[in-house]
Each structure stands twice: as structure tokens, then as C-alpha cells.
């Protein structure tokens, strides 16, 4: 069974999957040794390990190379931040090919303009909905292993409001994404509304000090989230 297939099985289980963030092999090993079922390769952490802010300065090649080191260090599935896919849908094709080649079990691709910003910073910009959906369709069409997880992340809450963000999530799921990631919900009411309004599995990003209020993980599971990343 591949790690991607194991991740799929975990996501179908009753308990929500919790994937703490790692930025290198040793932090990934600590997460696995602590008993967590999956590791999240944090983009912000990866950028910090290079000495950069989370402003989209790390390239696809550097991000994939870091994912490869983390995958080699652990025997649990690794989910990676793939930023914007590093260009248009053609660039997304190569991004997915490279992540599958090194053994990543899934990635999330967002709808910010490139270069992007951390999802919990101000003054983000997003691309038109159809451009992002083209990237999601490209990711789904490119993967060779059907269990490789394609997560559609939208940062549109900060720019266009919650309803637009939920609508984008639903359209991405209809385009073939396996999971929706509505980034930076701003109230507990919005956090709880995501799994109700989005017609498919949802990811919750728990960023201490970010735009989203801190949520107890047991409460997040009761809300209906299937995956929580803790970068």
C-alpha cells in the first residue's frame, strides 16, 4: 500500500487526521515518533529554513526537494504546500509530476496571484476563479496514482468574502479536487460554517496568532473537518 493510499484510508476513518507541520527531516521524525498519522510540509516553515519570509520566494524545485527529504525521513504520508503551482496550469502539471516522483502523498494549490503571501497576512490578491479551476483540473488530470490527494485552497475569504470562498471550494470539488481548504476564516462561526456549506471533505489550517481563531481539535472534528494541519 502506498503512503497516498494509506492517507486516503485515514481520511475515511472516523477520527479527523491531524498533520503537524514539519520543515525538515528531523522535525518530520519528531512528528512521526509522537504518533501522528501524517506530516504536513509547511511552506512558511520551508521558507523560514531558507531564511526567507513566506512571500513565495522559494521555488518549486526547492519545495519539492524539501518534500523529498521529509518523505525519506518518515514512514507516514506527507502532505505538502504547493503554493500557487508556480505558474499556470502547465506549471501545475510539472509540480504534480515532481511531487509524485519523490513520494509526496498530496498537495494543496491555492488561488493567490504569484508571488503569493502567507494566507494569514494582509493585502493578498487572488486570480480569477476559472484560472484557479484550470489549475485544479490540471492537477487531477496529471496525477498517476488516483489516491494522490489534490487539495484546493482558496484565499478569497480575505478579498471577496466568505460566500465567494465557499463557492470557490464547491466549484473546485466539482472540478475534481479531493478536499477543500478555505484559508483564514475569520470567526468561529465561519469556521463552523465551512463543513456545512462546502459539499465535500474540508481541511482546517490552525495558525497560532493568525486570522482564524484557535479551535480545539476535538471541536474541529465535531464540526465535520476531515484534516487539520498545524504548521
Amino acid at each position: 500500500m502506498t503512503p497516498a493510499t494509506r492517507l486516503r484510508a485515514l481520511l475515511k476513518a472516523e477520527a479527523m487526521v491531524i498533520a503537524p507541520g514539519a520543515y525538515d527531516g528531523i522535525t518530520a521524525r519528531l512528528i512521526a515518533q509522537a504518533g501522528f498519522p501524517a506530516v504536513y510540509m509547511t511552506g512558511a516553515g520551508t521558507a523560514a529554513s531558507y531564511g526567507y519570509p513566506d512571500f513565495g520566494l522559494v521555488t518549486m524545485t526547492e519545495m519539492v526537494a524539501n518534500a523529498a527529504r521529509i518523505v525519506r525521513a518518515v514512514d507516514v504520508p506527507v502532505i505538502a504546500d504547493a503554493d500557487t503551482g508556480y505558474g499556470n496550469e502547465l506549471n501545475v502539471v510539472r509540480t504534480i509530476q515532481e511531487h509524485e516522483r519523490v513520494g509526496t502523498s498530496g498537495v494543496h494549490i491555492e488561488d493567490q496571484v504569484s508571488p503569493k503571501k502567507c494566507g494569514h497576512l494582509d493585502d493578498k490578491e487572488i486570480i480569477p476563479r476559472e484560472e484557479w479551476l484550470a489549475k485544479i483540473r490540471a492537477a487531477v488530470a496529471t496525477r498517476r496514482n488516483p489516491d494522490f490527494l489534490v487539495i484546493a485552497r482558496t484565499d478569497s475569504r480575505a478579498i471577496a468574502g466568505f460566500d465567494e470562498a465557499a463557492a470557490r471550494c464547491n466549484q473546485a470539488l466539482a472540478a475534481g479536487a479531493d478536499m477543500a481548504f478555505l484559508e483564514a476564516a475569520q470567526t468561529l462561526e465561519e469556521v463552523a460554517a465551512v463543513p456545512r456549506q462546502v459539499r465535500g471533505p474540508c481541511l482546517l489550517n490552525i495558525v497560532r496568532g493568525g486570522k482564524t481563531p484557535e479551535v480545539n481539535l476535538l471541536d474541529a472534528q465535531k464540526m465535520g473537518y476531515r484534516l487539520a494541519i498545524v504548521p
Side-chain angles (χ1 to χ4, degrees):
M1 182 183 294
T2 67
T5 302
R6 294 206 307 273
L7 178 61
R8 288 276 184 168
L10 286 167
L11 292 170
K12 291 177 182 177
E14 182 177 351
M16 180 181 69
V17 176
I18 301 169
Y23 59 86
D24 63 5
I26 193 64
T27 50
R29 284 198 175 192
L30 290 169
I31 291 165
Q33 288 177 1
F36 289 97
V39 168
Y40 172 62
M41 188 196 84
T42 158
T46 300
S49 73
Y50 279 93
Y52 295 129
D54 190 12
F55 285 172
L57 300 174
V58 183
T59 67
M60 183 272 284
T61 304
E62 291 169 326
M63 291 284 276
V64 171
N66 196 37
R69 289 190 290 269
I70 290 173
V71 167
R72 288 195 300 267
V74 296
D75 59 2
V76 298
V78 175
I79 304 160
D81 183 349
D83 294 322
T84 63
Y86 312 100
N88 63 17
E89 60 266 35
L90 297 177
N91 302 91
V92 168
V93 168
R94 185 171 178 223
T95 298
I96 298 301
Q97 289 172 337
E98 293 298 308
H99 271 290
E100 277 204 293
R101 180 180 60 81
V102 302
T104 312
S105 295
V107 298
H108 62 73
I109 297 172
E110 66 201 56
D111 57 358
Q112 284 196 58
V113 300
S114 186
K116 51 77 57 84
K117 289 183 176 181
C118 168
H120 292 260
L121 294 178
D122 293 326
D123 301 320
K124 296 184 291 184
E125 297 179 64
I126 55 173
I127 60 176
R129 192 187 293 190
E130 187 51 44
E131 289 184 24
W132 176 58
L133 294 175
K135 294 184 182 186
I136 299 303
R137 287 191 290 267
V140 173
T142 299
R143 63 183 175 191
R144 292 187 175 184
N145 182 351
D147 287 333
F148 182 88
L149 198 70
V150 175
I151 304 168
R153 166 179 156 173
T154 180
D155 285 70
S156 56
R157 166 62 187 91
I159 298 95
F162 181 83
D163 290 341
E164 170 65 14
R168 286 195 177 211
C169 286
N170 282 321
Q171 286 206 328
L173 290 166
D178 303 298
M179 179 171 284
F181 174 2
L182 195 158
E183 173 68 305
Q186 296 185 8
T187 66
L188 286 175
E189 290 75 19
E190 287 186 357
V191 173
V194 172
R196 294 198 305 267
Q197 295 192 26
V198 174
R199 297 183 291 274
C202 294
L203 178 156
L204 177 63
N205 186 20
I206 299 176
V207 177
R208 180 160 293 176
K211 299 290 186 183
T212 302
E214 287 196 38
V215 181
N216 181 284
L217 290 168
L218 291 175
D219 291 338
Q221 177 173 291
K222 292 176 184 176
M223 290 174 185
Y225 286 94
R226 298 307 307 138
L227 173 64
I229 57 173
V230 191

